Amino acid sequence: LTMGMQIKIRIVGRKNGSEKWLEDAYEMYETRLRPSNVQVETVWHKTDPDLIKNVNFDKEKGHTVILLDPAQGRTKTSEEFSNDMYDWLDTGGSRLSFVIGGAPGLPAELLQTYSKNEKLSLSALTFTHQFARTLLMEQIYRATEIRKGSGYHK
């Protein structure tokens, strides 16, 4: 494993718009990730145009960009997600950005620009964007534990 792998979760919405229990859960996984070589940062965007601009900037810098979309994204097992996450980090020079849309979903401009292989579905169910962020964070943590071969993932 290489040192200093960085994951960004780009999301439309307000940082303070989440319920406390979701923030507590997110922070718990953030704390559990600290000993690993994977750092996760959430970047909040107020508008879709701001999100699009920054996602395109990440792509231009060579980062791997994965859109979270329940309709167009592919679902994966946790093992597949773990393998893919490390492949995505490898391809993106240890930089990976996950993109979560706001209440109306991802902007059409992004959905049309990215291929099926660049889209992920956490579930066929629809979640609030704050819940999706916490669920994604748990899967990122689980992916690191699968890679380590720990007992967390059974």
Side-chain angles (χ1 to χ4, degrees), residues 61-64 87-96:
K61 287 194 295 189
H63 301 185
T64 301
D87 288 348
W88 292 329
L89 281 161
D90 212 33
T91 303
S94 298
R95 305 292 181 264
L96 168 61

PDB file of all heavy atoms in Angstrom, residues 61-64 87-96:
ATOM      1  N   LYS A  61      -6.975  17.171 -12.976  1.00  0.00           N
ATOM      2  CA  LYS A  61      -5.754  16.904 -12.216  1.00  0.00           C
ATOM      3  C   LYS A  61      -5.405  15.412 -12.219  1.00  0.00           C
ATOM      4  O   LYS A  61      -4.402  15.023 -11.635  1.00  0.00           O
ATOM      5  CB  LYS A  61      -5.909  17.386 -10.771  1.00  0.00           C
ATOM      6  CG  LYS A  61      -5.874  18.904 -10.647  1.00  0.00           C
ATOM      7  CD  LYS A  61      -5.682  19.361  -9.211  1.00  0.00           C
ATOM      8  CE  LYS A  61      -6.837  18.979  -8.332  1.00  0.00           C
ATOM      9  NZ  LYS A  61      -6.791  19.569  -6.988  1.00  0.00           N
ATOM     10  N   GLY A  62      -6.237  14.598 -12.876  1.00  0.00           N
ATOM     11  CA  GLY A  62      -5.938  13.175 -12.983  1.00  0.00           C
ATOM     12  C   GLY A  62      -6.543  12.306 -11.898  1.00  0.00           C
ATOM     13  O   GLY A  62      -6.275  11.103 -11.848  1.00  0.00           O
ATOM     14  N   HIS A  63      -7.354  12.918 -11.019  1.00  0.00           N
ATOM     15  CA  HIS A  63      -8.005  12.128  -9.977  1.00  0.00           C
ATOM     16  C   HIS A  63      -9.070  11.228 -10.612  1.00  0.00           C
ATOM     17  O   HIS A  63      -9.690  11.594 -11.605  1.00  0.00           O
ATOM     18  CB  HIS A  63      -8.719  13.024  -8.964  1.00  0.00           C
ATOM     19  CG  HIS A  63      -7.818  14.001  -8.282  1.00  0.00           C
ATOM     20  ND1 HIS A  63      -8.251  14.810  -7.267  1.00  0.00           N
ATOM     21  CD2 HIS A  63      -6.515  14.325  -8.465  1.00  0.00           C
ATOM     22  CE1 HIS A  63      -7.263  15.571  -6.853  1.00  0.00           C
ATOM     23  NE2 HIS A  63      -6.193  15.295  -7.569  1.00  0.00           N
ATOM     24  N   THR A  64      -9.308  10.073 -10.018  1.00  0.00           N
ATOM     25  CA  THR A  64     -10.437   9.250 -10.429  1.00  0.00           C
ATOM     26  C   THR A  64     -11.692   9.876  -9.839  1.00  0.00           C
ATOM     27  O   THR A  64     -11.713  10.259  -8.663  1.00  0.00           O
ATOM     28  CB  THR A  64     -10.280   7.802  -9.918  1.00  0.00           C
ATOM     29  OG1 THR A  64      -9.072   7.258 -10.442  1.00  0.00           O
ATOM     30  CG2 THR A  64     -11.458   6.945 -10.354  1.00  0.00           C
ATOM     31  N   ASP A  87      -8.212   0.119  -6.830  1.00  0.00           N
ATOM     32  CA  ASP A  87      -7.887   0.311  -8.256  1.00  0.00           C
ATOM     33  C   ASP A  87      -8.096   1.767  -8.654  1.00  0.00           C
ATOM     34  O   ASP A  87      -7.273   2.352  -9.367  1.00  0.00           O
ATOM     35  CB  ASP A  87      -8.758  -0.590  -9.149  1.00  0.00           C
ATOM     36  CG  ASP A  87      -8.362  -2.063  -9.070  1.00  0.00           C
ATOM     37  OD1 ASP A  87      -7.286  -2.370  -8.516  1.00  0.00           O
ATOM     38  OD2 ASP A  87      -9.150  -2.898  -9.551  1.00  0.00           O
ATOM     39  N   TRP A  88      -9.213   2.358  -8.202  1.00  0.00           N
ATOM     40  CA  TRP A  88      -9.499   3.763  -8.523  1.00  0.00           C
ATOM     41  C   TRP A  88      -8.424   4.668  -7.936  1.00  0.00           C
ATOM     42  O   TRP A  88      -7.989   5.619  -8.584  1.00  0.00           O
ATOM     43  CB  TRP A  88     -10.874   4.166  -7.999  1.00  0.00           C
ATOM     44  CG  TRP A  88     -12.037   3.514  -8.683  1.00  0.00           C
ATOM     45  CD1 TRP A  88     -12.112   3.100  -9.987  1.00  0.00           C
ATOM     46  CD2 TRP A  88     -13.303   3.198  -8.097  1.00  0.00           C
ATOM     47  NE1 TRP A  88     -13.345   2.552 -10.232  1.00  0.00           N
ATOM     48  CE2 TRP A  88     -14.102   2.596  -9.103  1.00  0.00           C
ATOM     49  CE3 TRP A  88     -13.856   3.368  -6.828  1.00  0.00           C
ATOM     50  CZ2 TRP A  88     -15.409   2.168  -8.881  1.00  0.00           C
ATOM     51  CZ3 TRP A  88     -15.159   2.945  -6.599  1.00  0.00           C
ATOM     52  CH2 TRP A  88     -15.925   2.349  -7.610  1.00  0.00           C
ATOM     53  N   LEU A  89      -8.002   4.383  -6.715  1.00  0.00           N
ATOM     54  CA  LEU A  89      -6.935   5.174  -6.099  1.00  0.00           C
ATOM     55  C   LEU A  89      -5.637   5.026  -6.882  1.00  0.00           C
ATOM     56  O   LEU A  89      -4.913   6.000  -7.093  1.00  0.00           O
ATOM     57  CB  LEU A  89      -6.732   4.757  -4.636  1.00  0.00           C
ATOM     58  CG  LEU A  89      -7.754   5.330  -3.655  1.00  0.00           C
ATOM     59  CD1 LEU A  89      -7.785   4.525  -2.369  1.00  0.00           C
ATOM     60  CD2 LEU A  89      -7.475   6.798  -3.371  1.00  0.00           C
ATOM     61  N   ASP A  90      -5.352   3.820  -7.329  1.00  0.00           N
ATOM     62  CA  ASP A  90      -4.151   3.558  -8.126  1.00  0.00           C
ATOM     63  C   ASP A  90      -4.182   4.351  -9.427  1.00  0.00           C
ATOM     64  O   ASP A  90      -3.225   5.029  -9.790  1.00  0.00           O
ATOM     65  CB  ASP A  90      -4.087   2.050  -8.418  1.00  0.00           C
ATOM     66  CG  ASP A  90      -2.667   1.546  -8.517  1.00  0.00           C
ATOM     67  OD1 ASP A  90      -1.803   2.087  -7.814  1.00  0.00           O
ATOM     68  OD2 ASP A  90      -2.445   0.615  -9.314  1.00  0.00           O
ATOM     69  N   THR A  91      -5.306   4.278 -10.121  1.00  0.00           N
ATOM     70  CA  THR A  91      -5.477   4.977 -11.397  1.00  0.00           C
ATOM     71  C   THR A  91      -5.400   6.491 -11.228  1.00  0.00           C
ATOM     72  O   THR A  91      -4.867   7.186 -12.083  1.00  0.00           O
ATOM     73  CB  THR A  91      -6.848   4.610 -12.026  1.00  0.00           C
ATOM     74  OG1 THR A  91      -6.916   3.200 -12.167  1.00  0.00           O
ATOM     75  CG2 THR A  91      -7.052   5.263 -13.369  1.00  0.00           C
ATOM     76  N   GLY A  92      -5.926   6.993 -10.116  1.00  0.00           N
ATOM     77  CA  GLY A  92      -5.988   8.440  -9.889  1.00  0.00           C
ATOM     78  C   GLY A  92      -4.795   9.003  -9.150  1.00  0.00           C
ATOM     79  O   GLY A  92      -4.883  10.106  -8.594  1.00  0.00           O
ATOM     80  N   GLY A  93      -3.673   8.278  -9.118  1.00  0.00           N
ATOM     81  CA  GLY A  93      -2.498   8.800  -8.416  1.00  0.00           C
ATOM     82  C   GLY A  93      -2.743   8.985  -6.932  1.00  0.00           C
ATOM     83  O   GLY A  93      -2.361   9.997  -6.347  1.00  0.00           O
ATOM     84  N   SER A  94      -3.414   8.007  -6.311  1.00  0.00           N
ATOM     85  CA  SER A  94      -3.775   8.029  -4.881  1.00  0.00           C
ATOM     86  C   SER A  94      -4.808   9.101  -4.551  1.00  0.00           C
ATOM     87  O   SER A  94      -4.940   9.506  -3.400  1.00  0.00           O
ATOM     88  CB  SER A  94      -2.532   8.208  -3.990  1.00  0.00           C
ATOM     89  OG  SER A  94      -1.658   7.120  -4.168  1.00  0.00           O
ATOM     90  N   ARG A  95      -5.545   9.561  -5.554  1.00  0.00           N
ATOM     91  CA  ARG A  95      -6.583  10.576  -5.354  1.00  0.00           C
ATOM     92  C   ARG A  95      -7.888  10.079  -5.980  1.00  0.00           C
ATOM     93  O   ARG A  95      -7.919   9.678  -7.142  1.00  0.00           O
ATOM     94  CB  ARG A  95      -6.200  11.911  -5.997  1.00  0.00           C
ATOM     95  CG  ARG A  95      -4.864  12.476  -5.555  1.00  0.00           C
ATOM     96  CD  ARG A  95      -4.896  12.914  -4.093  1.00  0.00           C
ATOM     97  NE  ARG A  95      -3.634  13.476  -3.652  1.00  0.00           N
ATOM     98  CZ  ARG A  95      -2.685  12.804  -3.011  1.00  0.00           C
ATOM     99  NH1 ARG A  95      -2.818  11.532  -2.754  1.00  0.00           N
ATOM    100  NH2 ARG A  95      -1.581  13.400  -2.622  1.00  0.00           N
ATOM    101  N   LEU A  96      -8.947  10.132  -5.191  1.00  0.00           N
ATOM    102  CA  LEU A  96     -10.245   9.645  -5.620  1.00  0.00           C
ATOM    103  C   LEU A  96     -11.318  10.593  -5.118  1.00  0.00           C
ATOM    104  O   LEU A  96     -11.282  11.005  -3.960  1.00  0.00           O
ATOM    105  CB  LEU A  96     -10.463   8.230  -5.053  1.00  0.00           C
ATOM    106  CG  LEU A  96     -11.841   7.592  -5.115  1.00  0.00           C
ATOM    107  CD1 LEU A  96     -12.324   7.445  -6.551  1.00  0.00           C
ATOM    108  CD2 LEU A  96     -11.813   6.221  -4.421  1.00  0.00           C
TER     109      LEU A  96
END
